[in-house]
Amino acid sequence: MLSSVAYAILWPLTVIRIALEIGLMRIASSIPVLKDKIKRYNEKFLLVPYEDFWQSWCSWKMLNAVVQLTLADLNKTARLGSSAPNYFMVVYINEAHPSDGWRWNNNVEIAQHKSLKDRCAAAEILKSSGCPAPVLVDTMKNEASVAYGAWPERLFIIQRGKIVYEGGTGPYNYDLTEVQRWLEEYKAKQL
């Protein structure tokens, strides 16, 4: 966790940097030629149809969400090589794109959880979609999410209580093939 002095310095700098980046993207996206390039890039890499995200692209809700994600990453206590705090399998945390916040169109309609009962109901939707791993639910204080900087999602590999692999925040800053490769290399060393 960051010291209060470091946090006081990094918080405004982070907000300013992200606001500038998002503002520049919003301006660039108003120029037809650039908008078309941004659209093609996003549809290729975000894997979300253009119509589902364009209205919320670079919005104030997106700015807030990106700032929260960046600060969560700065504050996480789970770090590569460190002891894993209360490690779990799949932990359902606060909703990444709630129907009452920054969201994609045509997404599953789940409001931000107001109670543990709400979060458990949302986790049941995940389980019913065919999630192959056990699904646990984070506390309403978001203890697992804070410890792992997991919002909106993040992958870790934990071995004997130590973090041996830390992915970037998902879904676009980690690579499932990288996780698979790490596991295959580990398995090969064991043989």
Side-chain angles (χ1 to χ4, degrees):
M1 208 146 181
L2 292 174
S3 72
S4 60
V5 173
Y7 191 81
I9 293 169
L10 287 175
W11 164 251
L13 292 176
T14 300
V15 171
I16 291 168
R17 178 185 62 85
I18 293 169
L20 285 172
E21 289 173 0
I22 289 178
L24 290 172
M25 288 297 294
R26 192 67 178 179
I27 292 167
S29 66
S30 67
I31 301 168
V33 172
L34 294 177
K35 181 177 182 176
D36 190 51
K37 287 183 180 188
I38 292 169
K39 174 186 171 186
R40 284 195 309 265
Y41 176 86
N42 286 341
E43 286 185 344
K44 180 177 180 182
F45 293 104
L46 293 182
L47 307 176
V48 177
Y50 169 81
E51 297 78 23
D52 288 354
F53 70 84
W54 194 253
Q55 293 306 314
S56 67
W57 178 248
C58 298
S59 65
W60 284 110
K61 286 183 179 180
M62 178 184 172
L63 169 65
N64 182 49
V66 172
V67 166
Q68 295 306 317
L69 176 140
T70 304
L71 291 174
D73 191 50
L74 289 172
N75 278 319
K76 74 181 185 298
T77 56
R79 304 259 181 224
L80 186 62
S82 69
S83 294
N86 291 328
Y87 56 93
F88 302 103
M89 298 301 275
V90 171
V91 180
Y92 197 98
I93 61 174
N94 46 322
E95 193 60 37
H97 298 288
S99 58
D100 56 348
W102 178 57
R103 63 188 214 70
W104 303 115
N105 293 332
N106 300 317
N107 197 8
V108 177
E109 292 289 322
I110 300 174
Q112 195 55 265
H113 319 128
K114 308 258 186 299
S115 67
L116 194 56
K117 183 178 177 182
D118 292 346
R119 189 163 287 174
C120 289
E124 286 299 322
I125 294 170
L126 173 63
K127 286 171 34 176
S128 69
S129 72
C131 180
V135 178
L136 302 173
V137 177
D138 199 0
T139 67
M140 291 307 292
K141 291 182 180 179
N142 299 312
E143 294 170 271
S145 182
V146 169
Y148 285 91
W151 184 85
E153 59 188 339
R154 180 171 250 156
L155 300 172
F156 285 87
I157 298 174
I158 300 167
Q159 185 179 48
R160 294 183 200 92
K162 295 279 185 197
I163 298 170
V164 294
Y165 173 87
E166 176 184 344
T169 53
Y172 309 112
N173 294 320
Y174 66 71
D175 183 354
L176 291 173
T177 57
E178 181 180 271
V179 174
Q180 182 178 3
R181 186 172 41 254
W182 190 97
L183 291 169
E184 288 170 354
E185 288 172 7
Y186 176 79
K187 184 178 177 182
K189 289 178 191 175
Q190 303 306 308
L191 298 177

